[in-house]
C-alpha cells in the first residue's frame, strides 16, 4: 500500500440468520462501523455468504470504489475464501479482505446482548484498523509431481493404490512385511456376509502385482520424508530378502530344499501358532510370491556354514544372494496416502484374563488363523492339545471401552465376535457364550447378522467377564466369572476355550510415522484427520492423506471407502497440476538478517535453511506453514510474515482495545 | 428431573458429582465388572453395579437399608478395574454410608463400638491414651517422645493403634524402632498424644469424626519439626497421602516398606543371620493395589539371606484382600451372617498352595487376621504369618527373642 492511497473500507455485518442477530444488535453495530476511520460504507445483511450477500460486496466495490473489505460474520476458517473470491471477482486483490469473527467468538459465547455488542464493536474496530494496513499479495502456486506414494499394503493401501493406478497415475506402494495383504489376509471369513476373505482380497493383490503403474516395494520401510505438498522426496529402506525378486519365479522349491526338514520357527503371520523355516512366505497367495530368508536363524547367514539346499533347489535361476545388503531408494511423489493399519491389542497386560498363563485363552486374531483353511490347523478349530472345544466363551471389549487400556470402542469387535461365534458353531457345534457390554451392530446388514447368530443358538450374556480361572491346575477347562446383568446375578460359566475379542490399537511405532510425515495423532494415538467431518482423509500436512485403521478403528467396508476417498483426493490434486499455497508465509528481510541461525532450529517444518555464502536465512515458501515461530524468535526483526506484519497486528490490537 | 427421594437424593447425587478422586458414578455402563470382581459380590443384595444403578435411579431407601451397604471391605479391586474409572471404594461407598447414618440407619454394632472408641479414646481398640507407650516399655533403644521433648527429627513415626496396643503387633513396633535406630535415622513419636489417623472412619462414612481427627492431628503435627511421616499402617498411609490434603493438611508420608527401600544399600550388610524360610508376600490393598507400590516389600524380602520368595497365583494388582480394610476388621460377623465369607481364610489357603511356610505381610491388621485364619483352616503350625519387619529384624539380629 502506498501511504497516499485513499482508504475506502466497506464493512458488512452478517446476521447469520439468528445465529448472530439474536444476540447482537446488528443495526447498532453497523452504525458503529460507519463512524470508524476510513469506512466508506457499512451494511448488514441476513446471510452475507449467500449469492446476494456476495453480490452486495461486488457491487459496492464497483460503485463506491471500495478498496478494503471487512466482513463481520463467522470464523475465517469457513468463509474467508468466499469473500476473498468475491473481492477478486470485483477486481480487488483478494488479500485486502479481513474477517471479524463475531459468531464463534461473540454471539455463541456471550449471553448478555449489551456486552456482546460491545465485544463485537471491538472485533470490528480491530478488523477495520488491521485491513487498512493490508497489502496486495500475489497468490503462489507449486507444481505437483504426478506420482503418489501409498504407505502400507493392507486392504486400505491396496485399494488406494489400485484406484490411483487404474486412473493412469503412477503409484509407489510401500509395505513393511514380505507380502501385501495386511490383517485381512489373516481372516477366514468377513462379516456380515461371510465372504471368504481370501476370495475377495487375493484378486486385488494380484491386480497390484500386474498393474504396470504400481511400483511395489515390500519388505521396505520409510526412512525419511522431505519436501512438501506436490514435491515430496521419500527415502525408502529396502530390507534384504537374500533372494533376488527379479529372478525368483515363486516356485517355493527353496523352502522344500532348506536343510531344516522341520518348520520350527514361529510364523508371525499365524500369530506364532504355526511354524516356518528360515526361508519362508507368510501364506501361499503372498504377493510378491517371493520368499524371504530370516537372517537370525538361517545357518548360512547366521553361522556362515550350510549345505545350502535352498540354493540347490533354486538351481540355475540363481535367485539367492546371501550378500544382499539393505539399501535406500529415493522416490519423488506429489501426494502420500498413509494406510499403515492397526495392531491387535496384547491382552497379557490384563491380569484377570490369564492370557499367556492359561493355554486355552486365545486372542481373536489367533482364532482367525485357526479358523482359516490356510492356517496352522488347516481350518480346524482345535485346542493346543489337539482336542475340539465343546464350550467356548467369547469376551467382548478386551482392551476397548476401558479407561485402563483404551477408552474408545474398537467398532469391529462386536461384529467379528458374532462372526467367530457363527464359525465356531458351524465348525464344532460347540456351545458358545458371547459375553458383551453392548452389541454394536450399526452397519449395513449387521443387525440382521446379529439376529441370525442369536437364532443359531449362541448364548448372549450381558456382562464383562471379571475373572478366568482354571477348573483344576494345568491346561484344562476354564471358569468365566461374570455378572449377568440381565439375569441379575453373578454366574460362573465353565468353558474349554476362551476367545478374547481384542481391541484395535495404533502401531507401536505410529509416533515415528507421525513425525516422519509431519502429521498429528489424536489422544489415543491414531493419525488425526484435518477435520472430523469435512476433511476426513486430509491431515495437517497438505498432500499427506490417511486411510483405514491407522486413522481410527474401522471395518473393511469403511476402510475401503476411506481408501477410495483418499485416492480421489490424491487424484484431484495430481490432476489439478498445481496447488495454491497459503499466503501467510514468513519471509526474510535480507538486509536485516544477521545470519544467526536462531530461526533454523526452531522451525517445526524444516522450512528454513542457511545460505552460507550470503550469511542469511532462507525460507522455503512451499514448506512454511505460517506458524510465526521464526518471526517471534528473530532477534533482529528480519523474519517477517505476510498478513501478520507488526503494524498489522499493532493496529488490530489498538482497534480491539481502544475501539470506543 | 428430581430423583424420587427428593432433597436427600439430590444432595447425594450432587455430592457424588463433585468427588475428589476418579470419575463420578454417572458414567457407569452397567458392565458388571465390579460386581463379579468384588470378592463379596455374590453375597451382596446390592453389589457395586446394582448399588450404582439404584443410587442414580434415586432408589436410595433400598440401598441405604440393605445389609450389603456394610459389606465392602475397601479392597479397591472394583475401582482399580472399572472401565469407566469410577472411584467406588473411596467415594461412592463412603458417601452412601454417610447418607445412611444421616438417615438414622445404623451400621453393625461392632463397628459402632469402634467409632465410639476412636471418638472417646483416639484409638480403635478403646484403650487408654496413657497406655500408648506400653509397647516401648524397657525397650533397648532410645525412644524420643516429641510430645514431651520437641526436637527437630527427620522422621515422625506414627506407631499406629495396633502396634501400640495389641500384643502381637507390639513386637513389630519394637523391631521397627530398633531397625530405624540401627540405620541411624533421626526419629521421634508423639507418645501418648498420638491419635488414630482415621482412615477406617472416613471409609465407613463417619465423615464428621474423620474431620475432627484431621483437625486434631493437624494441630499435633504442626507443633513438631519433622521431615516426613512414616507409618506402619497402609491405611494411615493412604489417608495421609490422599484424604488429609483435601482439608489442606499436607504432609510428606511413606509407608515403612517405601521408607526402608531407600536404605537398601545400607541394609544389605546388616542382614547377618539367614532366615531359612519359603516366603510368599501378601500385597495389602492400600499401598499395593491402590497406590501400585508392589516392589519395595519384595525388594526388602529379597535382602534377607535364606529367604526364598514365591508368588501366590493372585498377586500385585490381582491380590485377594484380607478382608480387614475400610472397617472390615469389625465386620466379620456381619459379613458371615449375610452370606459372605472371611477372605482371610481363603487367602491363607492360597498362600499355603504355593508351598510357602511363611506368609509375609506389611499391615498391622493382617498379622492377627491371617493367624486367626490359619487356625480356622487347619494351617496353624504349617504357615507362619510374619511382618516383613519381623523377618528383617531377625536377620539383623534385632528381633524379639520370644518370636525368633
Amino acid at each position: 500500500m502506498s501511504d497516499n492511497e485513499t482508504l475506502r473500507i466497506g464493512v458488512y455485518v452478517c446476521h447469520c440468520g439468528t445465529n448472530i442477530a439474536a444476540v447482537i444488535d446488528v443495526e447498532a453495530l453497523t452504525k458503529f462501523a460507519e463512524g470508524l476511520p476510513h469506512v466508506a460504507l457499512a451494511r448488514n445483511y441476513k446471510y452475507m455468504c449467500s449469492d446476494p450477500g456476495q453480490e452486495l460486496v461486488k457491487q459496492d466495490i464497483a460503485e463506491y470504489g471500495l478498496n478494503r473489505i471487512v466482513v463481520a460474520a463467522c470464523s475465517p476458517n469457513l468463509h474467508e475464501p468466499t469473500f476473498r473470491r468475491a473481492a477478486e471477482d470485483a477486481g480487488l486483490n483478494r488479500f485486502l479482505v479481513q474477517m471479524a469473527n463475531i459468531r464463534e467468538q461473540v454471539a455463541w459465547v456471550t449471553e448478555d446482548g449489551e456486552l456482546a455488542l460491545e465485544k463485537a464493536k471491538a472485533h470490528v474496530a480491530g478488523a477495520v484498523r488491521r485491513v487498512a494496513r493490508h497489502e496486495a499479495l500475489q497468490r503462489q502456486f507449486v507444481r505437483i509431481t504426478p506420482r503418489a506414494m501409498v504407505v502400507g499394503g493392507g486392504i486400505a493401501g491396496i485399494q488406494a493404490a489400485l484406484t490411483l493406478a487404474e486412473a493412469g497415475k503412477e503409484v509407489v506402494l510401500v509395505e513393511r512385511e514380505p507380502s501385501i495383504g495386511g490383517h485381512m489376509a489373516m481372516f477366514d471369513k468377513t462379516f456380515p456376509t461371510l465372504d471368504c476373505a481370501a476370495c475377495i482380497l487375493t484378486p486385488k493383490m494380484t491386480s497390484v502385482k500386474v498393474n504396470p503403474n504400481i511400483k511395489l516395494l515390500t519388505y521396505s520401510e520409510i526412512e525419511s520424508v522431505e519436501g512438501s505438498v506436490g514435491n515430496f522426496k521419500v527415502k525408502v529402506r529396502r530390507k534384504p530378502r537374500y533372494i533376488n525378486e527379479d529372478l525368483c519365479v515363486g516356485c517355493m522349491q527353496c523352502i522344500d530344499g532348506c536343510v531344516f526338514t522341520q518348520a520350527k520357527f514361529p510364523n508371525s503371520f499365524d500369530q506364532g501358532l504355526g511354524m516356518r523355516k528360515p526361508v519362508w512366505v507368510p501364506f501361499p497367495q503372498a504377493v510378491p510370491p517371493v520368499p524371504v530368508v530370516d537372517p537370525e536363524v538361517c545357518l548360512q547367514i547366521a553361522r556362515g556354514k550350510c549345505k545350502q539346499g535352498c540354493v540347490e533347489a533354486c538351481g540355475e535361476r540363481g535367485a539367492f544372494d546371501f550378500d544382499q545388503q539393505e539399501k535406500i531408494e529415493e522416490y519423488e511423489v506429489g501426494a502420500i496416502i498413509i494406510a499403515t493399519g492397526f495392531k491387535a491389542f496384547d491382552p497379557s497386560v490384563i491380569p484377570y484374563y490369564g492370557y499367556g498363563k492359561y493355554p486355552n485363552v486365545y486372542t481373536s486374531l489367533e482364532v482367525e488363523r485357526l479358523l482359516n483353511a490356510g492356517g496352522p490347523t488347516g481350518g480346524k478349530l482345535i485346542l493346543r492339545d489337539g482336542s475340539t472345544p465343546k464350550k467356548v466363551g467369547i469376551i467382548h471389549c478386551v482392551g476397548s471401552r476401558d479407561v485402563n487400556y483404551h477408552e474408545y470402542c474398537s467398532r469391529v469387535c462386536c461384529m467379528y465376535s458374532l462372526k467367530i461365534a457363527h464359525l465356531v458353531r458351524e465348525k464344532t457345534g460347540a456351545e458358545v457364550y458371547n459375553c458383551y457390554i453392548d452389541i454394536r451392530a450399526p452397519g449395513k446388514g449387521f443387525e440382521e447378522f446379529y439376529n441370525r447368530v442369536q437364532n443359531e443358538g449362541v448364548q448372549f450374556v450381558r456382562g464383562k467377564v471379571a475373572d478366568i480361572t482354571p477348573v483344576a491346575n494345568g491346561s484344562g477347562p476354564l471358569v468365566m466369572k461374570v455378572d449377568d446383568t440381565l439375569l441379575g446375578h453373578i454366574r460362573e460359566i465353565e468353558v474349554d476355550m476362551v476367545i478374547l475379542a481384542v481391541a484395535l490399537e495404533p502401531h507401536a511405532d505410529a509416533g515415528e510415522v507421525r513425525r516422519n510425515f509431519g502429521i498429528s495423532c489424536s489422544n489415543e494415538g491414531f493419525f488425526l484427520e484435518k477435520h472430523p467431518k469435512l476433511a476426513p482423509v486430509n491431515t495437517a500436512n497438505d498432500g499427506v492423506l490417511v486411510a483405514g485403521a491407522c486413522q481410527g478403528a474401522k471395518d473393511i467396508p469403511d476402510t475401503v471407502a476411506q481408501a477410495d476417498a483418499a485416492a480421489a483426493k490424491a487424484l484431484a490434486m495430481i490432476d489439478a497440476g498445481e496447488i495454491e499455497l497459503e499466503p501467510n508465509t514468513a519471509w526474510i528481510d535480507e538486509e536485516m538478517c544477521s545470519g544467526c541461525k536462531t530461526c533454523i532450529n526452531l522451525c517445526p517444518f524444516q522450512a528454513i535453511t542457511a545460505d552460507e555464502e550470503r550469511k542469511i536465512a532462507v525460507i522455503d515458501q512451499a514448506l512454511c506453514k505460517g506458524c510465526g515461530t521464526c518471526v517471534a524468535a528473530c532477534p533482529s526483526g528480519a523474519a517477517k510474515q505476510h498478513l501478520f506484519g507488526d503494524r498489522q497486528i499493532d493496529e488490530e490490537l489498538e482497534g480491539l482495545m481502544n475501539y470506543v | 428431573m428430581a430423583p424420587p427421594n427428593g432433597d436427600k437424593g439430590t444432595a447425594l447425587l450432587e455430592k457424588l458429582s463433585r468427588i475428589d478422586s476418579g470419575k463420578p458414578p454417572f458414567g457407569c455402563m452397567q458392565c458388571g465388572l465390579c460386581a463379579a470382581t468384588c470378592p463379596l459380590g455374590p453375597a451382596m443384595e446390592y453389589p457395586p453395579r446394582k448399588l450404582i444403578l439404584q443410587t442414580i435411579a434415586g432408589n436410595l431407601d433400598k440401598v441405604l437399608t440393605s445389609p450389603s451397604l456394610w459389606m465392602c471391605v475397601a479392597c479397591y479391586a472394583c475401582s482399580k478395574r472399572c472401565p469407566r474409572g469410577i472411584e467406588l471404594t473411596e467415594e461412592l461407598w463412603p458417601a452412601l454410608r454417610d447418607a445412611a447414618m444421616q438417615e438414622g440407619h445404623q451400621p453393625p454394632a461392632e463397628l459402632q463400638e469402634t467409632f465410639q472408641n476412636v471418638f472417646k479414646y483416639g484409638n480403635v481398640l478403646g484403650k487408654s491414651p496413657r497406655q500408648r507407650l506400653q509397647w516401648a516399655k524397657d525397650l533397648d533403644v532410645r525412644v524420643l517422645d516429641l510430645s514431651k521433648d520437641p526436637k527437630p527429627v527427620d522422621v515422625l513415626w506414627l506407631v499406629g493403634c495396633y502396634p501400640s496396643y495389641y500384643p502381637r503387633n507390639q513386637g513389630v513396633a519394637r523391631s521397627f524402632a530398633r531397625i530405624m535406630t540401627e540405620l541411624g535415622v533421626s526419629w521421634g513419636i508423639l507418645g501418648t498424644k498420638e491419635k488414630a489417623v482415621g482412615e477406617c472412619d472416613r471409609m465407613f462414612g463417619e465423615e464428621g469424626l474423620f474431620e475432627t481427627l484431621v483437625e486434631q492431628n493437624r494441630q499435633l503435627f504442626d507443633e513438631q519439626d519433622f521431615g516426613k511421616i512414616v507409618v506402619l499402617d497402609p491405611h494411615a498411609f493412604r489417608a495421609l497421602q490422599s484424604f488429609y490434603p483435601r482439608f489442606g493438611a499436607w504432609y510428606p508420608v511413606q509407608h515403612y516398606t517405601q521408607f526402608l527401600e531407600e536404605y537398601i544399600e545400607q541394609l544389605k550388610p546388616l542382614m547377618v543371620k539367614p532366615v531359612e524360610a519359603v516366603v510368599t508376600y501378601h500385597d495389602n490393598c492400600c499401598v499395593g493395589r491402590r497406590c501400585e507400590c508392589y516392589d519395595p516389600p519384595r525388594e526388602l524380602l529379597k535382602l534377607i539371606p535364606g529367604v526364598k520368595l514365591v508368588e501366590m497365583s493372585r498377586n500385585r494388582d490381582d491380590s485377594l484382600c484380607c478382608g480387614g480394610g475400610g472397617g472390615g476388621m469389625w465386620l466379620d460377623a456381619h459379613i458371615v451372617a449375610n452370606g459372605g465369607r472371611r477372605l482371610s481364610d481363603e487367602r491363607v489357603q492360597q498362600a499355603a498352595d504355593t508351598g510357602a511356610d511363611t506368609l509375609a505381610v506389611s499391615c498391622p491388621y493382617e498379622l492377627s487376621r491371617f493367624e486367626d485364619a490359619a487356625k480356622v483352616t487347619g494351617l496353624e503350625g504349617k504357615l507362619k504369618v510374619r511382618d516383613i519387619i519381623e523377618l528383617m529384624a531377625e536377620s539383623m539380629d534385632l528381633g524379639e527373642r520370644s518370636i525368633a
Side-chain angles (χ1 to χ4, degrees):
Chain A
M1 174 194 107
S2 80
D3 283 344
N4 301 330
E5 183 191 18
T6 313
L7 286 168
R8 293 184 64 78
I9 302 174
V11 178
Y12 297 86
V13 177
C14 181
H15 300 192
C16 195
T18 54
N19 274 310
I20 292 169
V23 183
I24 299 168
D25 180 344
V26 289
E27 291 297 342
L29 185 59
T30 311
K31 219 170 170 55
F32 165 80
E34 272 170 1
L36 290 169
H38 308 301
V39 170
L41 73 85
R43 295 185 193 275
N44 60 72
Y45 189 71
K46 193 156 190 183
Y47 291 107
M48 279 306 299
C49 61
S50 66
D51 266 7
Q54 294 178 49
E55 207 49 46
L56 209 57
V57 179
K58 289 183 203 173
Q59 277 172 10
D60 288 349
I61 290 173
E63 204 168 315
Y64 298 98
L66 300 181
N67 53 17
R68 296 287 189 285
I69 301 295
V70 167
V71 185
C74 53
S75 158
N77 268 332
L78 299 165
H79 277 301
E80 190 174 62
T82 310
F83 296 109
R84 277 181 172 174
R85 202 163 42 233
E88 195 170 64
D89 286 350
L92 194 64
N93 184 282
R94 59 161 50 210
F95 301 111
L96 299 176
V97 174
Q98 177 68 16
M99 302 287 289
N101 183 356
I102 59 167
R103 190 178 72 176
E104 284 85 342
Q105 292 183 2
V106 183
W108 282 354
V109 292
T110 316
E111 284 175 0
D112 183 306
E114 280 180 34
L115 292 174
L117 177 61
E118 291 308 304
K119 192 174 172 190
K121 283 179 182 173
H123 277 260
V124 170
V128 165
R129 292 190 64 160
R130 181 189 222 281
V131 82
R133 296 288 172 188
H134 274 204
E135 293 169 14
L137 297 172
Q138 290 305 308
R139 295 171 73 179
Q140 296 192 62
F141 297 87
V142 287
R143 287 202 54 72
I144 294 198
T145 307
R147 187 183 300 118
M149 175 173 279
V150 176
V151 184
I155 180 59
I158 290 172
Q159 182 75 15
L162 284 175
T163 301
L164 284 159
E166 281 160 12
K169 300 294 176 257
E170 282 180 41
V171 183
V172 182
L173 174 58
V174 185
E175 165 59 48
R176 160 151 71 183
E177 298 295 326
S179 168
I180 55 169
H183 280 100
M184 188 174 171
M186 297 175 186
F187 305 157
D188 181 39
K189 298 276 166 52
T190 55
F191 64 77
T193 48
L194 297 175
D195 289 295
C196 147
C199 308
I200 55 176
L201 177 66
T202 51
K204 283 186 183 286
M205 290 167 60
T206 311
S207 301
V208 167
K209 183 169 164 255
V210 300
N211 194 310
N213 286 333
I214 298 178
K215 169 100 182 152
L216 177 59
L217 311 176
T218 53
Y219 213 45
S220 302
E221 295 190 52
I222 302 300
E223 179 72 15
S224 66
V225 184
E226 284 173 23
S228 61
V229 55
N231 298 286
F232 292 104
K233 284 191 181 126
V234 186
K235 287 202 173 92
V236 178
R237 185 156 41 87
R238 307 211 56 192
K239 294 178 278 188
R241 283 183 113 97
Y242 304 104
I243 292 175
N244 188 326
E245 268 185 61
D246 297 330
L247 299 176
C248 174
V249 294
C251 68
M252 306 296 160
Q253 282 175 18
C254 54
I255 299 176
D256 297 332
C258 175
V259 295
F260 281 88
T261 47
Q262 291 292 312
K264 54 184 278 192
F265 306 102
N267 181 347
S268 52
F269 189 80
D270 284 335
Q271 304 301 302
L273 293 171
M275 296 295 154
R276 62 162 171 85
K277 293 183 180 181
V279 56
W280 66 294
V281 278
F283 56 106
Q285 307 97 317
V287 169
V290 179
V292 282
V293 179
D294 178 351
E296 303 277 314
V297 293
C298 166
L299 295 180
Q300 178 59 38
I301 299 171
R303 298 190 199 161
K305 204 177 163 192
C306 181
K307 280 193 284 180
Q308 301 190 6
C310 51
V311 176
E312 199 180 316
C314 190
E316 51 194 42
R317 281 181 214 107
F320 274 83
D321 177 6
F322 289 114
D323 297 325
Q324 215 175 53
Q325 297 291 320
E326 181 176 287
K327 54 182 177 180
I328 306 287
E329 293 174 359
E330 188 176 280
Y331 292 89
E332 287 184 21
V333 294
I336 297 170
I337 296 176
I338 300 181
T340 48
F342 67 93
K343 173 177 159 289
F345 172 75
D346 174 6
S348 60
V349 297
I350 305 183
Y352 48 93
Y353 286 158
Y355 177 76
K357 188 167 157 192
Y358 308 129
N360 295 339
V361 180
Y362 292 79
T363 69
S364 42
L365 200 50
E366 288 170 338
V367 171
E368 294 280 2
R369 292 311 294 152
L370 294 180
L371 291 167
N372 192 307
T377 56
K380 269 191 253 167
L381 186 76
I382 46 174
L383 298 169
R384 284 176 222 267
D385 65 3
S387 67
T388 305
K390 293 187 183 64
K391 290 183 175 183
V392 174
I394 302 177
I395 302 178
H396 291 221
C397 300
V398 175
S400 306
R401 301 188 69 193
D402 188 332
V403 293
N404 300 301
Y405 306 103
H406 297 304
E407 191 172 359
Y408 56 84
C409 163
S410 290
R411 288 188 66 194
V412 295
C413 321
C414 277
M415 291 309 296
Y416 78 59
S417 296
L418 292 174
K419 176 194 71 181
I420 290 175
H422 164 85
L423 294 173
V424 169
R425 276 195 71 70
E426 186 181 72
K427 293 205 173 196
T428 66
E431 256 179 64
V432 179
Y433 298 88
N434 275 53
C435 301
Y436 68 99
I437 306 173
D438 299 295
I439 294 285
R440 294 187 167 170
K444 214 173 183 181
F446 288 12
E447 186 68 22
E448 295 89 330
F449 185 69
Y450 173 25
N451 192 214
R452 168 181 170 179
V453 173
Q454 282 180 305
N455 286 316
E456 286 170 354
V458 171
Q459 296 265 342
F460 285 84
V461 180
R462 193 196 174 281
K464 192 169 166 80
V465 172
D467 271 308
I468 292 172
T469 42
V471 173
N473 280 341
S475 63
L478 302 157
V479 174
M480 304 190 298
K481 191 172 174 196
V482 57
D483 179 8
D484 188 324
T485 60
L486 298 180
L487 285 179
H489 61 80
I490 292 154
R491 292 171 70 178
E492 294 194 347
I493 303 171
E494 194 180 313
V495 290
D496 303 311
M497 179 186 209
V498 171
I499 302 169
L500 305 176
V502 291
L504 275 57
E505 65 183 16
H507 278 294
D509 58 356
E512 207 178 306
V513 177
R514 180 192 70 76
R515 276 190 297 280
N516 256 336
F517 289 99
I519 60 175
S520 311
C521 287
S522 42
N523 287 343
E524 69 274 12
F526 290 116
F527 299 137
L528 188 64
E529 64 284 355
K530 194 171 184 180
H531 190 281
K533 297 175 186 74
L534 301 175
V537 297
N538 296 80
T539 65
N541 191 1
D542 290 341
V544 178
L545 306 157
V546 283
C550 66
Q551 180 265 341
K554 59 176 65 67
D555 62 12
I556 294 168
D558 285 0
T559 295
V560 170
Q562 204 180 19
D564 274 340
K569 281 277 174 192
L571 268 179
M573 217 185 289
I574 290 170
D575 276 352
E578 57 179 18
I579 189 163
E580 182 174 1
L581 297 175
E582 284 294 317
N584 59 341
T585 48
W587 55 285
I588 298 290
D589 187 334
E590 295 182 2
E591 298 281 296
M592 294 172 77
C593 177
S594 65
C596 73
K597 298 183 183 174
T598 303
C599 54
I600 294 177
N601 288 329
L602 290 173
C603 175
F605 305 98
Q606 286 87 47
I608 314 179
T609 48
D611 181 334
E612 294 293 355
E613 259 175 45
R614 294 194 292 156
K615 300 254 179 288
I616 54 163
V618 181
I619 300 178
D620 182 336
Q621 294 295 299
L623 287 177
C624 175
K625 293 277 174 284
C627 70
T629 305
C630 57
V631 182
C634 180
S636 43
K640 294 177 174 168
Q641 192 174 358
H642 296 303
L643 293 178
F644 287 93
D646 286 350
R647 285 182 77 184
Q648 291 162 347
I649 295 174
D650 283 348
E651 285 294 322
E652 183 170 17
L653 290 174
E654 283 291 329
L656 277 165
M657 294 185 293
N658 305 317
Y659 69 94
V660 234
Chain B
M1 190 189 72
N5 289 301
D7 290 348
K8 76 180 175 207
T10 312
L12 180 69
L13 295 183
E14 168 69 20
K15 181 176 177 179
L16 289 173
S17 68
R18 288 184 283 104
I19 55 172
D20 292 292
S21 60
K23 302 247 175 66
F26 309 109
C28 174
M29 56 179 167
Q30 291 289 305
C31 72
L33 184 62
C34 50
T37 293
C38 177
L40 293 166
M44 288 180 182
E45 181 186 13
Y46 294 107
R49 175 184 68 83
K50 289 188 186 172
L51 194 74
I52 292 178
L53 186 66
Q54 298 287 6
T55 301
I56 295 174
N59 298 326
L60 279 185
D61 287 338
K62 288 189 179 172
V63 293
L64 297 187
T65 53
S66 168
S68 61
L69 188 61
W70 311 99
M71 287 172 77
C72 168
V73 292
C75 80
Y76 287 99
C78 56
S79 301
K80 180 87 187 171
R81 289 185 182 181
C82 175
R84 284 286 169 85
I86 297 166
E87 181 48 72
L88 296 102
T89 313
E90 279 179 10
E91 303 291 351
L92 181 70
W93 289 86
L96 285 170
R97 287 163 168 177
D98 178 51
M101 285 188 274
Q102 287 188 28
E103 289 294 309
H105 309 303
Q106 290 308 315
E110 213 179 331
L111 197 68
Q112 288 185 49
E113 195 186 314
T114 307
F115 291 153
Q116 290 294 326
N117 288 340
V118 175
F119 181 68
K120 282 189 201 153
Y121 307 107
N123 67 76
V124 291
L125 290 127
K127 301 278 188 182
S128 158
R130 275 171 304 176
Q131 294 168 6
R132 263 228 182 236
L133 267 168
Q134 222 178 27
W135 66 274
K137 204 177 162 209
D138 303 328
L139 186 62
D140 44 5
V141 294
R142 183 171 167 253
V143 177
L144 176 62
D145 182 349
L146 299 167
S147 68
K148 291 194 176 135
D149 187 8
K151 281 198 181 113
V153 285
D154 290 337
V155 168
L156 169 60
W157 172 27
L158 298 184
V159 186
C161 299
Y162 273 82
S164 295
Y165 294 112
Y166 199 66
R168 177 65 184 88
N169 295 85
Q170 286 177 332
V172 178
R174 283 193 287 273
S175 295
F176 188 62
R178 293 187 194 111
I179 292 174
M180 279 206 292
T181 306
E182 184 76 10
L183 288 171
V185 175
S186 113
W187 61 276
I189 61 171
L190 293 174
T192 55
K193 293 275 183 67
E194 184 182 314
K195 279 186 182 310
V197 168
E199 187 262 1
C200 62
D201 306 289
R202 184 196 175 275
M203 297 298 271
F204 244 83
E206 269 289 359
E207 279 185 30
L209 178 55
F210 178 66
E211 278 184 50
T212 311
L213 288 170
V214 173
E215 256 332 293
Q216 292 173 345
N217 275 316
R218 194 218 307 251
Q219 277 178 23
L220 281 172
F221 299 161
D222 287 348
E223 282 165 12
Q224 302 301 333
D225 180 358
F226 58 90
K228 63 183 162 194
I229 294 176
V230 171
V231 295
L232 302 187
D233 179 6
H235 306 92
F237 166 73
R238 180 64 190 150
L240 289 165
Q241 181 207 38
S242 178
F243 308 151
Y244 272 53
R246 297 176 193 184
F247 297 91
W250 186 90
Y251 305 95
V253 58
Q254 279 182 317
H255 182 247
Y256 83 80
T257 51
Q258 299 163 323
F259 170 70
L260 289 180
E261 199 211 13
E262 291 177 357
Y263 288 86
I264 283 252
E265 287 309 314
Q266 230 178 303
L267 282 163
K268 255 182 210 164
L270 300 176
M271 300 288 165
V272 287
K273 274 176 62 183
V275 180
E276 297 301 337
V278 182
V279 177
T280 190
Y281 173 69
H282 165 79
D283 290 280
N284 67 64
C285 301
C286 286
V287 174
R289 188 156 29 232
R290 184 60 183 81
C291 297
E292 296 183 354
C293 180
Y294 302 117
D295 291 328
R298 288 175 172 81
E299 292 307 313
L300 293 174
L301 287 168
K302 282 184 205 159
L303 276 183
I304 305 170
V307 163
K308 183 178 173 244
L309 190 61
V310 293
E311 289 290 347
M312 286 183 263
S313 63
R314 295 189 62 175
N315 60 62
R316 302 169 81 98
D317 262 24
D318 199 28
S319 168
L320 179 68
C321 175
C322 77
M329 270 307 259
W330 305 277
L331 282 172
D332 286 329
H334 171 79
I335 287 171
V336 172
N338 285 284
R341 65 198 196 287
R342 289 201 335 166
L343 303 182
S344 45
D345 297 353
E346 198 171 322
R347 191 57 170 164
V348 288
Q349 196 58 57
Q350 291 174 356
D353 287 346
T354 63
D357 54 41
T358 302
L359 172 57
V361 299
S362 61
C363 165
Y365 293 0
E366 289 164 359
L367 275 181
S368 55
R369 288 193 71 77
F370 287 142
E371 280 182 354
D372 285 353
K375 278 182 203 141
V376 174
T377 52
L379 288 168
E380 198 180 12
K382 293 178 197 146
L383 187 71
K384 278 190 230 165
V385 185
R386 303 191 67 186
D387 197 288
I388 293 176
I389 289 171
E390 293 178 304
L391 292 164
M392 288 177 67
E394 185 183 333
S395 181
M396 292 166 79
D397 209 7
L398 300 170
E400 295 288 280
R401 304 293 165 223
S402 56
I403 288 171

